[in-house]
């Protein structure tokens, strides 16, 4: 007789076997697999972790606070708001030019809290179709209606906002709020939001000002703006965004995140976000690692690493797209970069390089690069739309030109092996 455990395991195994057959099964790598490889996969874009400088800065933090306590012991709503949290929230808010902040164990937790608790019944959330899964999950738990607009498309955003205004009297009269959810740099396409265009669209479409702009700066925090303070600070738009999320698990190479907002929104999250109310507050050890990362950002070493990262991104992108057979591979649909048309127009560059392959081929390219000891990751549906599977490369401050040349040559060798003999680009354009 089958037990409940037997039945659920059978059901799960069917799903896992299907995902494996489709090439979409996540199988976490063992330490032996990625140790000693060249890192083109992790989010450690400033190489703070791999270089060891974050470890040294973290240990220095512990030395400065020899009597710290391990453990937090309580949620924020009770005695969990310890002095180290008050201090880090004050300092991060000052660093990013915000009124106040609320520290979280992760960016995922922070988005869950924002979107499940801040928008109220009758409000709307208009969101870019490619925003992170954590925003979707927060909206699912929230009480406002969500409406997507086409990725990075200001005309699509305008249409959604005008439709809401024309079809809802309370929105038109300014009694209900429309939240606009964006990311500064998108995690799988690596492109940058046209924030100035979106601000203008919101101002024009909702002249009563009943909108709230919210932005997730996960992939820009640490690498863009003054001292790495993000895209919003780069453009001086702090007053335009009522809610900002700065995470620390990417360029800062640690864990945690801060929601930048005013005191009322902060108190609303503490009181109404269930994952805050029923979760133990972040520990001193987590905060010490974050503080160590921010101290590096503001140092000469941090500035050097940001500059070197941008130089490496430029070199990688230029070298790949100037390969003698790049145009041919692109026209044959063997691989392409979704950001190629807009990439050169930006004053700063994203370290995310998404190499999109023919359907079902991303895993094959990923394995080829890993066998050569270059660590990369492939991403398939449902993380990306069907037919846009990709190898997602992350460029790092400490990647050498030899390493970048090596991975580019392997990518192009893999592509040309599938294309066969070279054909003139002019001929390909006619096919």
């Amino acid at each position: 007789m089958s037990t409940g455990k037997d039945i659920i395991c059978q059901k799960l195994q069917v799903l896992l076997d299907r995902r494996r057959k489709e090439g979409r099964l996540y199988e976490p790598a063992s330490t032996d697999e990625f140790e000693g490889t060249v890192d083109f996969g992790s989010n450690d874009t400033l190489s703070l972790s791999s270089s060891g400088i974050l470890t040294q800065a973290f240990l220095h933090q512990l030395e400065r606070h020899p009597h710290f306590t391990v453990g937090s012991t309580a949620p924020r709503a009770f005695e969990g708001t310890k002095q180290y949290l008050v201090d880090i929230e004050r300092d991060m808010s000052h660093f990013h030019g915000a009124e106040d902040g609320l520290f979280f164990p992760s960016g995922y937790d922070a988005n869950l809290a924002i979107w499940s608790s801040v928008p109220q019944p009758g409000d709307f959330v208009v969101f870019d179709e490619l925003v992170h899964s954590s925003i979707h999950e927060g909206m699912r738990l929230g009480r406002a209606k969500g409406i997507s607009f086409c990725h990075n498309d200001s005309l699509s955003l305008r249409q959604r906002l005008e439709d809401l205004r024309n079809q809802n009297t309370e929105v038109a009269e300014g009694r209900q709020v429309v939240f606009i959810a964006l990311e500064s740099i998108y995690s799988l396409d690596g492109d940058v939001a046209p924030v100035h265009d979106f601000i203008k669209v919101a101002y024009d479409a909702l002249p009563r000002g009943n909108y709230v702009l919210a932005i997730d700066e996960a992939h820009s925090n640490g690498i863009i703006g003054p001292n790495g303070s993000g895209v919003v600070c780069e453009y001086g738009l702090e007053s335009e965004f009522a809610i900002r999320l700065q995470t620390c698990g990417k360029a800062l190479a640690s864990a945690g995140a801060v929601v930048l907002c005013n005191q009322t929104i902060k108190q609303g999250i503490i009181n109404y976000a269930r994952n805050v109310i029923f979760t133990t507050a972040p520990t001193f050890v987590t905060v010490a690692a974050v503080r160590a990362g921010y101290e590096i950002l503001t140092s000469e070493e941090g500035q050097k690493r940001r500059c070197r990262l941008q130089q490496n991104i430029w070199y990688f992108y230029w070298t790949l797209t100037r390969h003698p057979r790049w145009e041919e591979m692109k026209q044959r649909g063997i691989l392409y970069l979704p950001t190629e048309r807009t990439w050169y127009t930006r004053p700063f560059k994203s370290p995310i390089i998404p190499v999109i392959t023919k359907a079902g081929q991303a895993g094959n390219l990923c394995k080829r690069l890993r066998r050569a000891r270059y660590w990369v990751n492939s991403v398939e549906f449902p993380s990306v739309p069907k037919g846009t599977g990709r190898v997602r490369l992350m460029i790092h401050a400490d990647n050498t030109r030899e390493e970048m040349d090596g991975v580019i040559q392997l990518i192009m060798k893999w592509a040309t092996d599938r294309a066969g003999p070279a054909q003139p680009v002019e001929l390909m354009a006619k096919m």
Side-chain angles (χ1 to χ4, degrees):
M1 181 178 178
S2 296
T3 65
K5 183 180 75 172
D6 294 333
I7 295 169
I8 193 60
C9 285
Q10 289 169 6
K11 291 180 177 180
L12 287 172
Q13 194 60 55
V14 169
L15 296 174
L16 292 170
D17 289 344
R18 181 187 305 162
R19 181 163 279 198
R20 180 180 288 107
K21 184 178 179 181
E22 294 170 351
R24 300 192 293 112
L25 185 69
Y26 290 119
E27 296 184 277
S30 67
T31 304
D32 291 341
E33 285 182 89
F34 60 79
E35 263 192 5
T37 60
V38 179
D39 184 10
F40 283 102
S42 81
N43 291 317
D44 182 26
T45 48
L46 291 177
S47 303
L48 301 187
S49 177
S50 60
S51 66
I53 66 169
L54 182 63
T55 300
Q56 294 304 313
F58 169 71
L59 293 174
H60 181 60
Q61 285 292 322
L62 299 188
E63 289 172 1
R64 289 167 58 184
H65 301 87
H67 303 298
F68 73 89
T69 300
V70 175
S72 174
T73 74
R76 292 297 301 268
F78 301 117
E79 64 270 28
T81 300
K82 304 291 178 63
Q83 188 61 44
Y84 62 81
L85 286 171
V86 174
D87 293 343
I88 195 69
E89 289 169 351
R90 176 200 64 216
D91 294 343
M92 291 178 79
S93 299
H94 178 74
F95 181 87
H96 293 286
E99 178 181 327
D100 209 338
L102 182 61
F103 192 83
F104 283 82
S106 73
Y108 196 103
D109 279 336
N111 268 327
L112 204 67
I114 293 167
W115 298 108
S116 65
S117 65
V118 178
Q120 299 298 300
D123 291 340
F124 295 88
V125 180
V126 179
F127 60 94
D128 188 293
E129 62 184 345
L130 295 189
V131 292
H132 194 266
S133 173
S134 55
I135 296 177
H136 286 276
E137 186 65 11
M139 290 189 295
R140 186 183 67 81
L141 297 172
R143 295 171 290 175
K145 181 179 180 180
I147 301 168
S148 69
F149 67 92
C150 297
H151 175 55
N152 271 354
D153 188 330
S154 58
L155 292 178
S156 177
L157 174 60
R158 181 180 295 276
Q159 187 64 59
R160 299 296 186 276
L161 296 180
E162 289 179 349
D163 287 348
L164 279 175
R165 183 194 65 204
N166 295 335
Q167 297 169 12
N168 296 269
T169 302
E170 291 188 326
V171 170
E173 295 178 353
R175 296 198 302 272
Q176 294 293 353
V177 177
V178 179
F179 291 78
I180 301 170
L182 316 169
E183 294 183 31
S184 54
I185 295 176
Y186 285 83
S187 60
L188 291 172
D189 275 18
D191 50 353
V192 181
V195 288
H196 292 93
D197 293 345
F198 289 162
I199 291 169
K200 184 178 187 307
V201 166
Y203 181 86
D204 291 344
L206 299 172
R208 292 184 179 272
N210 54 319
Y211 60 86
V212 169
L213 285 160
I215 191 165
D216 183 335
E217 295 228 48
H219 284 281
S220 58
N221 193 33
I223 67 172
I224 306 299
N227 289 323
S229 50
V231 167
V232 170
C233 292
E234 167 73 9
Y235 291 129
L237 299 173
E238 293 89 342
S239 63
E240 300 289 350
F241 288 86
I243 300 173
R244 286 182 276 157
L245 172 59
Q246 313 288 144
T247 69
C248 309
K250 307 295 190 297
L252 274 88
S254 51
V258 65
V259 175
L260 303 171
C261 56
N262 63 24
Q263 293 179 5
T264 302
I265 292 175
K266 177 178 178 176
Q267 287 302 312
I269 293 173
I270 289 173
N271 278 272
Y272 291 99
R274 296 174 69 84
N275 65 318
V276 175
I277 296 169
F278 299 107
T279 297
T280 300
T283 68
F284 173 83
V285 175
T286 297
V287 169
V290 169
R291 188 174 288 282
Y294 271 86
E295 288 192 356
I296 295 172
L297 290 187
T298 59
S299 69
E300 183 180 353
E301 178 68 22
Q303 179 62 22
K304 287 179 179 178
R305 287 181 173 274
R306 283 190 294 276
C307 290
R308 194 160 71 243
L309 174 61
Q310 288 294 310
Q311 291 166 0
N312 282 352
I313 299 167
W314 265 103
Y315 180 82
F316 189 96
Y317 211 100
W318 180 268
T319 305
L320 176 61
T321 58
R322 292 303 184 273
H323 187 279
R325 297 193 68 181
W326 172 256
E327 288 298 325
E328 180 191 347
M329 297 303 103
K330 188 171 62 175
Q331 291 196 28
R332 288 192 178 197
I334 293 171
L335 47 77
Y336 70 94
L337 300 176
T339 53
E340 187 173 3
R341 286 187 301 173
T342 60
W343 194 82
Y344 292 101
T345 65
R346 296 289 177 185
F348 53 81
K349 308 304 174 188
S350 160
I352 302 166
I353 312 289
V355 180
I356 298 182
T357 68
K358 282 188 175 180
Q361 291 296 307
N364 184 281
L365 174 56
C366 179
K367 289 177 182 177
R368 174 69 184 88
L369 295 173
R370 287 184 179 182
R371 284 198 300 270
R373 308 305 289 164
Y374 294 101
W375 192 263
V376 300
N377 294 295
S378 61
V379 187
E380 293 282 1
F381 176 82
S383 297
V384 293
K386 284 185 177 180
T388 65
R390 65 200 63 189
V391 170
R392 176 179 179 265
L393 293 103
M394 299 294 294
I395 309 302
H396 302 85
D398 284 356
N399 285 139
T400 66
R401 289 198 170 188
E402 291 75 17
E403 291 168 348
M404 291 186 282
D405 289 340
V407 78
I408 289 168
Q409 291 304 315
L410 279 172
I411 290 170
M412 295 308 299
K413 176 67 165 60
W414 176 88
T416 54
D417 285 348
R418 276 148 184 76
Q423 296 186 33
V425 173
E426 294 81 3
L427 177 60
M428 292 300 306
K430 297 176 181 178
M431 292 179 64

